[in-house]
Amino acid sequence: MSLNGQRSRSGLSMNGLRMFDKRSKTALVLAGGGITGAVYEIGALRAINDMLVDYTVNDFDIYVGTSAGALVTSLIANGLSPREILQVIDARHPEIHGIRVRDIFQINPLDMVRRTTRLPGALIDIARNVLVSRGDIALSDIAWELARMLPNGLYSGEGLERYVRSVLTETGRSNRFDWLEKELYIVATELETGKRAVFGQGGRRIVPISQAVAASSAVPILYRPVRIFDRDYLDGGLHGSASLDLAIEAGAKLVVCINPMVPLDTTDLGESHYIGQRGIQAVLNQTVRTLLHAGVRYHIKNLRIKYPDVDIILIQPEWDDYHMFGFNPMYYGSRLAVAEHGFESVGMGLLNNYDYFYHALLRHNIQLTQDLVSIELAELRESEDALEKIQQIMDAEAHAVPSAAIDPYAGLHVSDTTLGASF
């Protein structure tokens, strides 16, 4: 687990050592990353939960979600714990039916059929261009003409919208932004203008949360645009995978961001052209991860300059995390293995940088303990069946530690050098 997107293990700028007199306004920002990214975030949130004292990830004041992060934040803001969300994803929740493949990948048949009617026209145009150019035409030109018969998305977001709506309404929770006790912002992209659309504020506050989640998760090409009030929306990641600025503008002084998409650094592997030799899937995977991570990195860099009084903690996979790179972002079947990896890697990262996290959160009157996570990780390492063990850990209730049992100033020996590092 990487702290802040640097290749070093150093911490972030803490702007002095003073504690706030009262608990600051806090925010949790979850970036996009497909199905595996969402499950990684759930595993990471469980690890964070198990270290918090008299506080949980459901106690943040502000939640901001983009793409896959929109689904997770909509559930967290409605009071579902990471344990419950994983039970939902793994179809083991006692009250909420599990999310199925058809809830995520609902085929878009009508547009597919409608677009096939354009095939004759596309073939005529191709033939005309071949004749005019006397055969001097690129294969990409032919492919571009044939693309006219493709649908505006392979899948429809209606299945996801319907599922989220059922979870939030049938269980007595809220599908409305203005009925939540917490502030929730879900980011999408308006197709016709290319502008960022923020559901949960202004006129878009009246949009149902389930529709906002579907819009934010509409990955171009994979999903057709989601129409809301006669406007079309696509994946919010087109405007950056994580919109931390929304949380800061809402008053947050502590922002915790989880970003599951990091490019792989093969420098220490000792194998030349590791990614290039693995074909178009690996190249595309690395390309998407690079683009998304670069957006998050420079967004945070600018925010630290603009808001020096705000503490930003970025949690993400290490640069050499081959396991995370190997997961197809949209592969449904790998969800439990990804949850295990998210819990274990983030848990280890939290323990390895415990002094930093302890000090950072204590500034905002939030305390940590490493006891429970240490025990859980030890049990996970000793287990012969890691997936079964992670399921047991995730199913168990977190054991809250009374704050009175912890010395709030124990372990504060983080050096000024560590605290002063940033991008």
Side-chain angles (χ1 to χ4, degrees), residues 32-305:
I35 297 172
T36 57
V39 181
Y40 172 89
E41 291 171 342
I42 296 168
L45 290 172
R46 178 54 194 259
I48 294 171
N49 236 17
D50 287 356
M51 293 190 74
L52 294 171
V53 177
D54 295 335
Y55 200 78
T56 73
V57 295
N58 298 98
D59 293 325
F60 282 83
D61 302 294
I62 304 164
Y63 297 92
V64 181
T66 301
S67 194
L71 172 61
V72 181
T73 52
S74 69
L75 300 177
I76 293 286
N78 263 283
L80 283 168
S81 67
R83 165 180 167 266
E84 291 176 301
I85 297 175
L86 188 65
Q87 287 180 335
V88 170
I89 290 177
D90 202 37
R92 292 181 292 103
H93 195 281
E95 298 177 357
I96 303 173
H97 69 83
I99 190 167
R100 298 153 298 191
V101 172
R102 64 176 178 269
D103 295 322
I104 303 175
F105 300 110
Q106 178 175 308
I107 296 295
N108 178 20
L110 293 180
D111 197 50
M112 287 183 178
V113 173
R114 185 168 59 249
R115 294 279 177 165
T116 56
T117 60
R118 300 186 180 187
L119 179 59
L123 294 176
I124 292 173
D125 288 341
I126 291 172
R128 182 185 301 114
N129 290 336
V130 171
L131 291 174
V132 171
S133 62
R134 297 182 180 181
D136 188 21
I137 186 171
L139 182 62
S140 58
D141 295 333
I142 296 176
W144 181 259
E145 291 295 337
L146 290 176
R148 287 163 45 186
M149 61 174 288
L150 296 177
N152 55 7
L154 297 177
Y155 303 107
S156 164
E158 292 177 1
L160 179 60
E161 189 280 328
R162 185 166 52 248
Y163 179 79
V164 175
R165 174 165 29 99
S166 69
V167 170
L168 298 184
T169 56
E170 294 176 9
T171 58
R173 295 176 173 86
S174 177
N175 196 28
R176 291 183 52 167
F177 289 95
D178 53 353
W179 285 5
L180 293 175
E181 295 182 2
K182 309 290 185 177
E183 294 180 57
L184 172 64
Y185 303 106
I186 292 176
V187 180
T189 301
E190 191 172 328
L191 179 61
E192 299 298 330
T193 64
K195 296 180 179 179
R196 182 174 73 171
V198 181
F199 295 98
Q201 66 176 208
R204 295 188 179 94
R205 190 172 172 82
I206 64 172
V207 173
I209 294 173
S210 57
Q211 289 187 15
V213 169
S216 182
S217 305
V219 180
I221 302 176
L222 277 181
Y223 290 89
R224 75 183 186 197
V226 174
R227 184 160 296 177
I228 302 175
F229 294 151
D230 206 35
R231 293 192 178 186
D232 293 330
Y233 297 93
L234 283 174
D235 195 306
L238 298 177
H239 262 281
S241 188
S243 293
L244 287 82
D245 58 312
L246 295 176
I248 296 174
E249 290 169 1
K253 292 299 181 182
L254 171 66
V255 180
V256 177
C257 175
I258 302 179
N259 171 42
M261 297 294 278
V262 174
L264 181 65
D265 185 344
T266 66
T267 302
D268 299 329
L269 184 63
E271 179 180 341
S272 300
H273 314 296
Y274 175 86
I275 296 175
Q277 292 177 349
R278 279 161 174 74
I280 192 170
Q281 287 182 327
V283 173
L284 182 60
N285 189 8
Q286 180 78 333
T287 300
V288 172
R289 290 174 182 274
T290 301
L291 288 172
L292 293 178
H293 179 261
V296 172
R297 178 175 181 177
Y298 290 108
H299 180 51
I300 292 179
K301 180 179 180 180
N302 291 332
L303 290 176
R304 287 191 181 131
I305 296 172

